[in-house]
């Protein structure tokens, strides 16, 4: 064997020695046909073992590297020879441009005669950007062909199937052949992944690699009897099968006649051809229709077909549309934008032409617009400026007519809000500018508030001295001033006339400036004296004027026959005059001295200590306050108008021309000098626990407040009703109780009218009961209920259990959805109980009325198993109306690459069923069915 190797290697060694001893001759002008690297490749491609040269026989990799290093050192000397003096070295033109690296874990066999290398066990061949991994590889260096396939493992199953990768393409197969020189290959039972989620499985395919010297060439795969799908299971659960396919990696898949298969069973759905773009991040391309719909009113239609444009790293644009066979169409533009650490948002513009045909074959084309805009500024994007927006505007019943989602169609109100705010550094100033929109989809009424500007200041102390001057603070230094300016403009219109001149004509504008002066002084050590004054100035561009039209309004005439030849007309009087309201355009203003008041309050504490037992003390805090307020009359701004030409029925109506003002309106109540009394109470208790010998403070009543007032300017009925309010919590905050009561100082006459007679004078009672109410609300979960009775925190207990499982290595390591345990299901239950009680006086008797009484159970989302999920919202019973509160039920089933969902709303008798492919390239494949308040539709 060594002798044979010496015979083979001797010519190569002789050539090496001759090249090393060449003396350059200036008379000869020869050229090197191939570069040094090409020569190395040809020597290395022989794959000869070097045992006969004395290299270690136990390392094939070491022997190859030593041979290359030796040849490199000697061939490098060729680079130093003068040009034109090299001997002519002829190399094969079929040689590769780069060296081929190969390795194997088990063994390598060299066939010198047939110029082949056989690699066994985790074999790998690498050439430039291309790698092939397989259990077995055969490399024919004379033809530059690699053959790779899998091998049975110890259990007899085929393992180590070829894995082919280059910079543009990758696939797995059972067997393959590839030519490094021509960059062509043939693949058997190949699976390739294209884009983010598209898999192509072909029985036989041909691969044509791109030429690296040609920038316009690209990889192409031609497949036979192939199926492409987004299911990554070895045996796909669904797919589109065709006999011939062309795949351009990272661009598109082109197929001929194709058929949809589900579970390996062909369906009746056929397509004559198909072109499916391969979606990659940041690549433009066709957007396949997300839905096929058949609707009795709209006809058959395609939804969501269009094109995607990645404008940049921070912005994209998607243009799509819907079209129906009966003439209705929709076009939309969607854009998303994002700048990290600054802002992100999205914009949606839709324009539709809704073709409506009635029973008489009359056609009406109705256009509609939909605008959605969302902008979110990062919290730390700017220290002083903030801008956010939520816009949802629709015209001409877009939602009612064209929305498919039941949830969207049942939404009655659309709102928008765009706001900008600025804080001024180092100054107590704030400025906000906003736009509000409110729209009722049922009535079509729309209100715009555009613009709404506000400038406010914090507390300003105009008389306060600078800190550097020092000295004792004077009483006038505590006086502070607050200023607010508001500018508002409101448009009231309908969704059908939203963008017309009528909307502009409905504008109502106004501006208000408020100035408030406050102060707080200590009085007689234990009292707080707080004077206050408030003034506002209101500017309007429209006012009203009411006039009385005494014209009598008659009904439509009726014909009354006396005989066949005699008759007369009879009319009834239906109105005895009309009040007409006119809008007067022009600037108008009024000055409103809202009020001036001064208050005196203090705090009184009372405490009762108990040395033994569970209850160790009770603490009572009282805050009494007396305040005097004055408000002037605005008689000069008050007008009156008659309402009836008949004196006995005429009720003179008072009004002010600023009634429709956006801000303040002059009070018609006249001058007021009011003395108010308030008493606020808080009751607390101290408890003792024998378990850990600690005390705890709890609130018995968070508030127990009494208030009333007396009008010094009134000639009768000067006392206002006494109002009592209270609230507290029970069961560690699980139940909240609040209530109130109203009592009157005055008595009633026989007609149940309040008269200027005190209740004490009539019935020897200080107060007369008027009304009362109480509301009890309980919100609790199973975890809170467990904590209430056991004193343990189940949430912390669960965290400790999870931490213990993690530290012991019991975790499965999976990231998929996990089935909820019974404890998790119970913990997700939320129980809500609400009851409202009202007490009123009916026919002289106190009557209890239950205003509301409901018991609701909110389940939320529960994953029963790894694949089954249930959603239940607010199931309960209404005791007042004696009926069940039906929730919307939802069921989902994960079918690996499919999702089955059922939504049921018993209240309106509608349900929606869908069986669809998970979101991805082929998510347009779905079969939904809905029924109820919407017209039944069947889509594919």
């Amino acid at each position: 064997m060594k002798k044979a190797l010496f015979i083979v290697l001797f010519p190569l060694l002789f050539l090496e020695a001759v090249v090393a001893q060449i003396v350059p001759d200036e008379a000869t002008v020869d050229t090197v046909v191939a570069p040094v690297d090409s020569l190395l490749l040809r020597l290395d491609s022989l794959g000869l073992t070097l045992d006969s040269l004395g290299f270690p026989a136990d390392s094939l990799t070491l022997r190859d590297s030593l041979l290359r290093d030796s040849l490199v050192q000697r061939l490098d000397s060729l680079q130093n020879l003068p040009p034109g003096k090299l001997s002519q070295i002829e190399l094969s033109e079929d040689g590769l441009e780069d060296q081929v690296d190969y390795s194997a874990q088990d063994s390598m066999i060299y066939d010198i005669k047939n110029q082949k290398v056989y690699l066994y066990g985790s074999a790998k061949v690498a050439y430039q950007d291309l790698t092939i991994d397989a259990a077995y590889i055969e490399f024919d260096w004379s033809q530059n062909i690699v053959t790779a396939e899998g091998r049975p493992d110890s259990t007899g199953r085929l393992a180590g199937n070829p894995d082919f990768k280059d910079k543009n393409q990758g696939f797995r197969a059972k067997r393959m052949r590839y030519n490094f020189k021509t960059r062509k290959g043939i693949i058997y039972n190949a699976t390739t992944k294209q884009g983010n989620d598209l898999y192509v499985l072909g029985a036989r395919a041909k691969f044509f690699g791109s030429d690296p010297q040609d920038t316009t060439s690209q990889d192409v795969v031609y497949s036979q009897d192939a199926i492409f799908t987004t299911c990554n299971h070895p045996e796909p659960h669904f797919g589109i099968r065709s006999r011939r396919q062309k795949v351009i990696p990272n661009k598109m898949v082109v197929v001929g006649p194709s058929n949809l298969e589900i579970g390996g069973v062909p369906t009746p759905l056929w397509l004559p051809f198909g072109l499916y773009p391969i979606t990659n991040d940041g690549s433009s391309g066709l957007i396949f229709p997300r839905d096929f719909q058949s609707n009795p009113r709209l006809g058959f239609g395609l939804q969501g077909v269009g094109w995607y444009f990645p404008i940049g790293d921070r912005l994209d644009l998607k243009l799509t549309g819907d079209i129906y066979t009966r003439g209705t169409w929709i076009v939309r533009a969607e854009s998303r934008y994002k700048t990290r650490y600054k802002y992100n948002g999205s914009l949606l513009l839709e324009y539709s032409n809704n073709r409506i045909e009635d029973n008489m074959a009359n056609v009406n084309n109705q256009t509609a617009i939909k605008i959605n805009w969302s902008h979110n500024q990062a919290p730390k994007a700017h220290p002083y400026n903030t801008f956010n927006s939520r816009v949802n505007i629709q015209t001409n019943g877009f939602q009612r007519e064209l929305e498919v989602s039941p949830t969207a169609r049942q939404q009655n109100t659309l709102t928008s809000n765009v706001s900008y705010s600025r804080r001024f550094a180092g100054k107590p100033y704030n400025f906000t500018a906003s736009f509000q929109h409110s729209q009722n989809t049922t009535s079509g009424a729309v209100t715009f508030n555009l613009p709404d500007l506000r400038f406010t200041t914090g507390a300003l102390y105009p008389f306060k001295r600078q800190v550097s001057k020092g000295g004792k603070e004077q009483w006038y230094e505590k006086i502070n001033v607050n200023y607010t300016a508001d500018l508002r403009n409101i448009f009231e219109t309908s969704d059908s006339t939203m963008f017309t001149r009528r909307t502009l004509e409905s504008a109502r504008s106004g501006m208000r400036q408020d100035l408030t002066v406050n102060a707080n002084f200590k009085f007689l050590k234990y009292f707080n004296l707080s004077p206050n004054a408030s003034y506002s100035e209101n500017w309007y561009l429209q006012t009203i004027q009411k006039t009385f039209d005494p014209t009598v309004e008659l009904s439509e005439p009726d014909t009354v026959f006396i005989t066949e030849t005699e008759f007369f007309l009879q009319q009834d009087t239906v109105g005895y005059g009309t009040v007409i309201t006119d809008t007067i355009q022009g600037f108008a203003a009024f000055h409103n001295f809202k009020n001036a008041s001064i208050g005196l309050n203090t705090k009184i504490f009372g405490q009762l200590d108990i040395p033994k037992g569970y209850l160790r003390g009770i603490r009572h805090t009282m805050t009494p306050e007396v305040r005097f307020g004055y408000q002037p009359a605005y008689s000069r701004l008050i007008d009156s108008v008659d309402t009836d030409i008949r004196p006995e029925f005429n009720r003179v109506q008072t009004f002010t021309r600023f009634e429709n003002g956006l801000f303040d309106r002059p009070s018609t109540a006249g001058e007021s000098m009011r003395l108010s009394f308030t008493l606020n109470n808080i009751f607390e208790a101290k408890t003792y626990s024998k378990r850990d010998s600690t005390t705890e403070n709890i609130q018995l009543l968070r508030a127990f407040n009494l208030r009333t007032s007396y009008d010094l300017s009134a000639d009768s009925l000067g006392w206002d009703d006494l109002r009592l309010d209270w609230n507290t919590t029970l069961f560690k905050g699980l139940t909240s109780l609040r209530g109130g009561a109203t009592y009157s100082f005055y008595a009633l006459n026989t007609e149940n009218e309040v008269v200027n007679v005190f209740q004490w004078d009539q019935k020897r009672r200080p107060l007369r009961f008027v009304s009362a109410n109480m509301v009890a609300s309980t919100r609790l979960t199973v975890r809170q209920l467990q904590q209430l009775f056991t004193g343990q925190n189940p949430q912390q207990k669960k965290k400790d259990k999870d931490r213990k499982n993690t530290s012991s290595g019991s975790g499965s390591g999976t990231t998929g959805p996990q089935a909820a345990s019974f404890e998790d299901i119970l913990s997700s239950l939320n129980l809500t109980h609400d009851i409202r009680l009202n007490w009123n006086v009916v026919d002289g008797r106190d009557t209890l009325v239950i205003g509301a009484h409901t018991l609701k159970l909110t389940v939320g989302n529960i994953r029963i198993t790894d694949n089954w999920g249930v959603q239940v919202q607010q199931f309960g019973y209404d005791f007042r109306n004696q009926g069940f509160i039906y929730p919307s039920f939802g069921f989902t089933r994960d079918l690996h690459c499919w999702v089955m969902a059922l939504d049921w709303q018993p209240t309106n008798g509608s349900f929606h069923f869908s069986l669809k492919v998970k979101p991805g390239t082929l998510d347009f494949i779905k079969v939904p069915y809905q029924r109820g308040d919407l017209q039944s539709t069947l889509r594919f």
Side-chain angles (χ1 to χ4, degrees):
M1 182 64 181
K2 292 183 178 181
K3 183 178 180 181
L5 290 175
F6 178 79
I7 295 174
V8 173
L9 291 175
F10 178 79
L12 296 176
L13 297 175
F14 177 79
L15 176 61
E16 180 183 0
V18 171
V19 172
Q21 298 298 327
I22 290 178
V23 177
D25 185 0
E26 296 180 0
T28 61
V29 183
D30 299 330
T31 60
V32 178
V33 177
V36 176
D37 291 343
S38 179
L39 177 61
L40 290 177
L41 178 62
R42 293 298 297 165
L43 295 175
D44 185 56
S45 63
L46 298 177
L48 301 179
T49 59
L50 304 177
D51 293 347
S52 59
L53 301 179
F55 294 136
D58 57 348
S59 176
L60 295 174
T61 304
L62 179 61
R63 292 196 297 269
D64 290 345
S65 63
L66 289 175
L67 176 60
R68 285 195 297 268
D69 292 343
S70 177
L71 294 179
V72 166
Q73 292 177 0
R74 300 200 177 189
L75 290 173
D76 280 347
S77 61
L78 294 175
Q79 305 290 341
N80 299 322
L81 297 179
K85 297 300 182 180
L86 300 179
S87 299
Q88 185 173 354
I89 303 176
E90 296 285 349
L91 298 179
S92 173
E93 296 181 356
D94 296 333
L96 299 176
E97 299 176 355
D98 203 346
Q99 67 182 16
V100 179
D101 296 325
Y102 50 87
S103 63
Q105 182 176 352
D106 293 345
S107 61
M108 287 190 287
I109 299 177
Y110 295 90
D111 186 350
I112 303 300
K113 180 178 180 181
N114 297 315
Q115 300 185 13
K116 293 182 179 181
V117 180
Y118 304 94
L119 310 175
Y120 295 89
S122 300
K124 181 177 182 178
V125 174
Y127 174 69
Q128 295 181 345
D129 294 331
L130 182 148
T131 59
I132 300 176
D133 296 278
Y136 167 75
I137 295 179
E138 175 185 319
F139 176 35
D140 185 343
W141 71 74
S142 63
Q143 301 294 328
N144 301 316
I145 294 178
V146 171
T147 303
E149 61 184 23
R151 281 287 187 264
D153 57 11
S154 58
T155 62
R157 299 178 59 181
L158 193 64
N161 288 335
D163 188 357
F164 177 94
K165 294 180 182 177
D166 69 359
K167 61 180 180 180
N168 296 323
Q169 179 66 25
F171 53 79
R172 295 184 63 87
K174 288 186 178 180
R175 185 171 180 269
M176 64 164 295
R177 296 184 65 197
Y178 182 77
N179 191 309
F180 290 124
K181 185 66 177 178
T182 62
R183 297 181 178 271
K184 298 179 181 180
I186 186 168
I187 316 160
Y188 300 92
N189 300 107
T191 301
T192 66
K193 183 178 180 181
Q194 304 294 336
N196 296 327
D197 61 350
L198 192 63
Y199 297 89
V200 180
L201 290 76
R204 185 172 179 268
K206 293 182 179 180
F207 174 70
F208 294 84
S210 60
D211 187 356
Q213 304 299 328
D214 185 1
T215 58
T216 61
S217 64
Q218 54 190 358
D219 294 348
V220 179
V221 180
Y222 295 94
S223 302
Q224 290 182 348
D225 191 20
I227 184 172
F228 67 97
T229 177
T230 56
C231 180
N232 59 2
H233 195 271
E235 297 181 0
H237 299 117
F238 81 98
I240 299 178
R241 183 176 295 278
S242 60
R243 297 196 60 181
R244 297 181 182 275
Q245 290 184 343
K246 177 181 179 181
V247 179
I248 302 176
N250 302 325
K251 288 191 176 182
M252 66 182 65
V253 177
V254 183
V255 301
S258 55
N259 173 237
L260 174 64
E261 288 187 3
I262 299 179
V265 178
T267 66
L269 300 179
W270 282 84
L271 292 175
F273 64 91
L275 182 128
Y276 303 92
I278 299 172
T279 58
N280 276 327
D281 295 337
S283 61
S284 63
L286 178 68
I287 300 175
F288 204 83
R290 74 172 188 270
D291 208 350
F292 301 90
Q293 180 178 354
S294 179
N295 187 289
R297 185 177 63 85
L298 302 177
F300 182 82
L302 300 177
Q303 293 182 337
V305 61
W307 198 268
Y308 176 76
F309 301 91
I311 300 177
D313 296 337
R314 303 176 182 178
L315 178 67
D316 68 352
L317 176 63
K318 183 167 62 173
L319 300 178
T320 58
D322 306 342
I323 184 170
Y324 298 88
T325 55
R326 294 194 175 182
T328 297
W329 52 267
I330 305 173
V331 293
R332 67 180 61 86
E334 299 177 72
S335 179
R336 298 174 300 173
Y337 56 90
K338 181 177 182 180
T339 299
R340 183 175 297 181
Y341 308 123
K342 290 187 177 181
Y343 54 81
N344 66 82
S346 62
L347 176 64
L348 169 64
L349 302 176
E350 290 194 36
Y351 181 86
S352 67
N353 181 77
N354 188 14
R355 188 176 185 273
I356 303 174
E357 182 176 350
D358 58 19
N359 296 330
M360 303 300 294
N362 298 318
V363 177
N364 180 26
N365 290 323
Q366 187 178 48
T367 61
I369 298 174
K370 178 180 179 180
I371 304 173
N372 284 349
W373 179 34
S374 173
H375 181 90
N376 303 298
Q377 180 176 316
K380 299 181 180 180
H382 198 280
Y384 306 114
N385 297 338
T386 303
F387 180 78
N388 293 286
S389 73
R390 290 286 186 279
V391 177
N392 187 4
I393 299 176
Q394 300 178 12
T395 66
N396 285 345
F398 185 99
Q399 184 166 277
R400 298 190 305 271
E401 300 294 337
L402 299 171
E403 289 284 4
V404 178
S405 170
T407 303
R409 289 174 60 96
Q410 293 172 4
Q411 187 179 5
N412 296 326
T413 304
L414 303 177
T415 59
S416 303
N417 183 46
V418 180
S419 62
Y420 166 81
S421 63
R422 175 174 175 78
R423 294 187 301 108
F424 294 85
K427 297 181 180 180
Y429 304 149
N430 292 278
F431 173 76
T432 60
S434 62
F435 151 75
Q436 289 92 29
H437 152 261
S438 155
Q439 181 175 354
N440 189 302
T441 58
T442 303
S443 64
V446 180
T447 301
F448 288 102
N449 188 354
L450 173 69
D452 190 348
L453 307 179
R454 165 168 281 204
F455 175 80
T456 62
T457 67
L460 303 176
Y461 294 85
F463 307 110
K464 197 173 187 65
R465 294 173 297 174
Q466 296 181 0
V467 179
S468 59
K469 293 184 178 181
K472 184 179 179 180
E473 185 180 28
Q474 301 298 318
W475 65 270
Y476 54 81
E477 294 185 64
K478 297 181 179 180
I479 299 176
N480 62 83
V481 179
N482 293 272
Y483 173 79
T484 302
D486 291 287
L487 176 64
R488 189 174 300 169
N489 194 31
I490 291 181
F491 303 90
E492 295 179 345
T493 182
S494 64
D495 61 356
S496 59
T497 61
M498 189 180 304
F499 299 105
T500 63
R501 185 179 181 84
R502 180 178 175 183
T503 301
L504 299 177
E505 294 174 350
S506 68
R508 291 190 299 141
S509 305
M511 180 177 179
R512 179 182 63 185
Q513 300 180 78
D514 285 329
L515 186 66
T516 305
V517 181
N518 299 284
N520 196 347
F521 310 107
K522 280 291 183 180
F523 180 72
L524 298 178
K525 190 178 180 178
Y526 298 107
F527 294 89
N528 296 316
L529 188 65
S530 55
N532 173 275
S534 180
Y535 170 84
S536 71
E537 184 167 327
N538 297 266
W539 298 346
Y540 296 117
L541 298 180
Q542 304 92 10
T543 56
I544 66 166
Q545 180 61 47
K546 293 185 178 182
T547 57
F548 178 67
D549 183 4
T551 304
V552 176
E553 184 179 358
L554 301 177
S555 64
E556 294 292 333
D558 295 331
T559 303
V560 179
F561 288 91
I562 300 176
T563 63
E564 294 182 355
T565 59
E566 297 182 356
F567 66 92
F568 67 92
L569 298 178
Q570 177 179 333
Q571 289 181 283
D572 297 329
T573 302
V574 296
Y576 296 90
T578 306
V579 176
I580 300 175
T581 302
D582 296 320
T583 300
I584 309 300
Q585 301 292 337
F587 177 81
F590 80 92
H591 314 292
N592 183 14
F593 186 79
K594 292 184 177 180
N595 62 73
S597 65
I598 183 170
L600 184 67
N601 66 77
T602 187
K603 284 186 180 294
I604 303 174
F605 300 94
Q607 184 167 324
L608 175 63
D609 294 327
I610 304 174
K612 296 181 180 181
Y614 171 75
L615 184 62
R616 291 301 177 91
I618 297 177
R619 180 184 176 91
H620 177 205
T621 304
M622 292 188 298
T623 307
E625 182 180 12
V626 179
R627 178 171 290 276
F628 173 76
Y630 171 77
Q631 184 175 3
Y634 292 91
S635 56
R636 63 183 180 84
L637 298 176
I638 306 301
D639 294 321
S640 61
V641 63
D642 292 333
T643 59
D644 202 300
I645 61 174
R646 297 169 297 178
E648 64 275 18
F649 295 103
N650 185 26
R651 299 291 185 268
V652 178
Q653 182 183 19
T654 60
F655 73 95
T656 172
R657 61 193 182 113
F658 298 99
E659 278 187 5
N660 292 338
L662 301 179
F663 301 106
D664 297 336
R665 305 169 189 178
S667 174
T668 59
E671 185 183 43
S672 173
M673 290 185 293
R674 192 171 296 275
L675 191 62
S676 303
F677 305 92
T678 304
L679 179 62
N680 298 329
N681 300 271
I682 298 176
F683 293 89
E684 299 173 289
K686 180 185 291 187
T687 60
Y688 176 77
S689 175
K690 293 182 179 180
R691 178 180 302 176
D692 50 8
S693 301
T694 59
T695 59
E696 180 183 2
N697 293 330
I698 61 175
Q699 288 187 332
L700 300 178
L701 284 174
R702 292 185 173 183
F704 187 85
N705 305 324
L706 298 169
R707 66 177 183 273
T708 187
S709 63
Y710 181 75
D711 191 351
L712 300 175
S713 62
D715 55 358
S716 63
L717 301 176
W719 284 98
D720 290 337
D721 291 343
L722 176 66
R723 179 66 186 175
L724 182 150
D725 297 299
W726 58 273
N727 71 80
T728 186
T729 59
L730 301 175
F731 310 115
K732 295 184 178 181
L734 297 180
T735 300
S736 65
L737 295 175
R738 66 181 186 275
T742 303
Y743 298 89
S744 176
F745 293 96
Y746 299 100
L748 298 176
N749 60 15
T750 56
E751 297 180 359
N752 290 328
E753 296 178 344
V754 179
V755 295
N756 193 29
V757 177
F758 287 107
Q759 182 75 359
W760 177 263
D761 295 336
Q762 188 180 81
K763 295 188 176 181
R764 295 299 173 184
R765 296 178 182 177
L767 298 170
R768 176 178 56 85
F769 174 77
V770 178
S771 65
N773 66 83
M774 186 188 73
V775 178
S777 299
T778 303
R779 308 282 192 276
L780 60 89
T781 63
V782 174
R783 286 178 176 172
Q784 291 174 326
L785 194 62
Q786 180 182 355
Q787 183 180 3
L788 179 66
F789 288 101
T790 63
Q792 298 179 354
N793 189 344
Q795 185 71 19
Q796 185 63 37
K797 182 178 178 181
K798 184 177 184 298
K799 290 181 180 179
D800 295 340
K801 181 179 178 181
D802 295 340
R803 190 181 299 110
K804 181 178 179 182
N805 293 337
T806 303
S807 61
S808 61
S810 59
S812 61
T814 60
T815 59
Q818 301 295 317
S821 64
F822 182 72
E823 181 181 356
D824 294 334
I825 294 176
L826 289 179
S827 300
S828 64
L829 301 179
N830 296 304
L831 186 65
T832 304
H833 177 258
D834 294 311
I835 183 171
R836 181 182 180 89
L837 304 177
N838 298 321
W839 287 270
N840 298 293
V841 178
V842 180
D843 297 331
R845 301 179 58 183
D846 296 345
T847 304
L848 173 63
V849 178
I850 300 177
H853 189 195
T854 59
L855 181 65
K856 299 178 183 178
L857 179 66
T858 302
V859 180
N861 299 329
I862 298 177
R863 184 161 292 279
I864 302 177
T865 67
D866 293 347
N867 297 320
W868 275 103
V870 177
Q871 302 84 36
V872 183
Q873 300 294 332
Q874 289 190 348
F875 175 76
Y877 187 79
D878 189 338
F879 295 94
R880 181 176 181 271
N881 298 320
Q882 297 183 356
F884 284 97
I885 302 173
Y886 294 101
S888 60
F889 297 93
F891 304 91
T892 59
R893 166 68 176 175
D894 191 331
L895 301 173
H896 187 258
C897 51
W898 292 77
V899 176
M900 181 178 66
L902 173 65
D903 294 324
W904 177 39
Q905 297 176 335
T907 304
N908 54 21
S910 64
F911 69 88
H912 182 276
F913 172 83
S914 66
L915 179 63
K916 58 184 179 180
V917 174
K918 288 184 177 180
T921 304
L922 302 180
D923 57 3
F924 62 89
I925 301 177
K926 54 184 174 181
V927 185
Y929 179 77
Q930 58 190 23
R931 182 179 179 183
D933 61 325
L934 305 177
Q935 296 179 348
S936 300
T937 58
L938 180 62
R939 291 172 287 169
F940 300 93

